[in-house]
């Protein structure tokens, strides 16, 4: 599992002489641990100090950013909240009714973070998954089965830490369907994703953002705990802001789609470049939606 938003979980190498049992100092298989010469401090053989590691990590991030055509590396998100925010009706942009999953357009947080979500699944661009990995950008994806004859691309994304969530089997307007048909679309995709990806999603996003009270009851019945919508949308050449200030806000959920040059004038990586540039320029970091919901 790749690290996304959290700081390193392993303790920094100690400056005291590391013993053989020190996991952070143990050599890789087949290597012989260097032994300090008599009278020489073993510090000379310690890993770089945390300060040096931070500098190296920053340089690596800058290099990755330059590779993908960015002048500034994405900002590093603060550690995930220890307790997830309450999704109650008194929170702005949250609709929470008893017994059904809350629907939200913005995650209640004061952290300077936004969340990138990618819908549907038609375009399966390997460069996009590489760019996500190299820039360490967390995303959450909401996939619709009819666009995905083969889930290999999404299994690979899942392997690199991307959570794959439910966007129905056939992408219908759920307002036009009765309960049984909604069950097939939502719960059917729950079962399908559990089988294809190996994880049963907790999050669901209705196609077109349209739903009825029945939709939420059905989603609850097959394990959905939250329904994240969006309040900003990014394309290859522009960002559609919901608010007239044309700015991001803490907790904004950004929508984009798995689309390619046949649907828009550019690629997934063009879209991500624009998103990273703007989000970073406004002082925000991308955080992992599942850490907050
Ligand atoms: Zn969709």
């Amino acid at each position: 599992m790749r690290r996304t938003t959290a700081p390193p979980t392993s303790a920094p190498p100690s400056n005291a002489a590391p013993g053989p049992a020190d996991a952070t100092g143990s050599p890789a298989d087949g290597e012989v641990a260097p032994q300090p010469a008599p009278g020489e401090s073993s510090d000379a053989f310690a890993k770089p100090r945390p300060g040096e590691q931070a500098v190296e990590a920053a340089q690596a991030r800058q290099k990755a950013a330059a590779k993908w055509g960015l002048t500034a590396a994405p900002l590093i998100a603060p550690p995930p909240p220890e307790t997830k925010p309450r999704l109650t009706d008194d929170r702005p942009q949250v609709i929470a009714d008893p017994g059904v999953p809350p629907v939200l357009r913005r995650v209640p947080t004061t952290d300077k973070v936004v969340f990138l979500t990618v819908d549907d699944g038609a375009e399966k661009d390997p460069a996009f998954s590489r760019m996500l990995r190299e820039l360490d950008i967390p995303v959450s994806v909401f996939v619709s089965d009819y666009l995905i004859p083969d889930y290999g691309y999404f299994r690979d994304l899942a392997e690199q830490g991307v959570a794959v969530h439910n966007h129905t089997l056939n992408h219908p307007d759920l307002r036009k369907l009765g309960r049984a048909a909604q069950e097939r679309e939502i719960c059917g995709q729950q079962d399908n994703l559990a089988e294809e990806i190996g994880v049963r999603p907790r999050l669901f996003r209705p196609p077109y953002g349209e739903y009825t009270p029945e939709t939420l009851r059905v989603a609850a019945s097959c394990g959905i705990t939250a329904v994240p919508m969006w309040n900003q949308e990014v394309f290859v050449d522009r960002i559609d802001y919901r608010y007239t200030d044309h700015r991001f806000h803490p907790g904004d959920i950004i929508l984009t789609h798995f689309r390619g040059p046949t649907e828009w004038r550019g690629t997934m990586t063009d879209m991500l470049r624009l998103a990273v540039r703007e989000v970073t320029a406004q002082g925000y970091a991308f955080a992992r939606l599942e850490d907050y919901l």
Side-chain angles (χ1 to χ4, degrees):
M1 179 79 68
R2 85 200 169 103
R3 181 173 64 80
T4 53
T5 57
T9 48
S10 58
S14 163
N15 283 332
D22 182 347
T24 60
S26 28
D29 282 351
E31 276 179 36
V32 177
Q35 295 301 317
E40 191 178 353
S41 161
S42 62
D43 276 0
F45 298 94
K47 283 188 176 178
R49 290 167 188 237
E52 293 166 359
Q53 285 178 324
V55 169
E56 277 173 26
Q59 284 168 345
R61 288 176 74 80
Q62 193 55 47
K63 203 172 156 195
K67 175 188 165 179
W68 290 103
L70 292 158
T71 48
L75 299 173
I76 297 174
E82 281 176 22
T83 47
K84 295 180 178 183
R86 275 182 312 110
L87 299 174
T88 47
D89 240 3
D90 55 337
R91 300 299 182 96
Q93 314 248 352
V94 177
I95 303 168
D97 290 323
V100 294
V103 180
L104 62 151
R105 294 192 183 282
R106 178 186 286 163
V107 174
T109 180
T110 52
D111 293 346
K112 280 203 87 179
V113 295
V114 293
F115 304 92
L116 184 61
T117 62
V118 194
D119 280 12
D120 298 350
E123 181 77 5
K124 299 159 190 75
D125 183 351
F128 177 62
S129 55
R130 205 158 54 237
M131 186 173 176
L132 290 174
R133 196 167 60 237
E134 292 179 4
L135 294 176
D136 202 10
I137 304 284
V139 299
S140 303
V141 305
F142 293 81
V143 295
S144 194
D145 180 68
Y146 83 109
L147 293 165
I148 307 170
D150 173 1
Y151 277 87
Y153 180 77
F154 297 96
R155 271 193 291 272
D156 288 348
L157 278 180
E159 207 139 278
Q160 68 180 57
V162 174
V164 179
H165 297 293
N166 188 333
H167 196 45
T168 72
L169 288 174
N170 296 294
H171 208 277
D173 182 342
L174 292 167
R175 294 173 302 178
K176 296 176 180 161
L177 302 185
R179 175 159 182 126
Q182 291 204 39
E183 269 175 4
R184 274 196 299 280
E185 285 292 340
I186 300 167
C187 301
Q189 180 66 329
Q190 286 289 92
D191 296 341
N192 182 47
L193 288 174
E195 192 166 310
E196 292 283 0
I197 306 294
V199 182
R200 204 172 170 81
R202 285 189 297 109
L203 307 181
F204 166 67
R205 176 177 283 163
Y208 318 105
E210 299 290 2
Y211 64 98
T212 64
E214 189 82 280
T215 307
L216 301 181
R217 288 193 287 272
V218 167
S221 78
C222 47
I224 296 298
T225 59
V227 176
M229 299 296 196
W230 62 95
N231 57 6
Q232 315 283 17
E233 184 167 359
V234 58
F235 300 84
V236 287
D237 50 1
R238 70 178 196 280
I239 295 174
D240 280 0
Y241 293 97
R242 182 171 290 262
Y243 313 103
T244 49
D245 62 358
H246 286 232
R247 304 281 300 170
F248 293 111
H249 307 88
D252 275 356
I253 302 174
I254 306 172
L255 168 68
T256 192
H257 291 87
F258 286 101
R259 288 180 186 155
T262 48
E263 291 99 357
W264 57 22
R265 270 180 302 204
T267 62
M268 297 290 293
T269 59
D270 293 330
M271 176 281 299
L272 186 57
R273 185 177 303 109
L274 176 63
V276 172
R277 188 180 295 148
E278 267 308 306
V279 163
T280 308
Q282 292 183 32
Y284 285 83
F286 293 95
R288 205 166 168 271
L289 188 59
E290 296 77 21
D291 286 339
Y292 286 76
L293 296 186

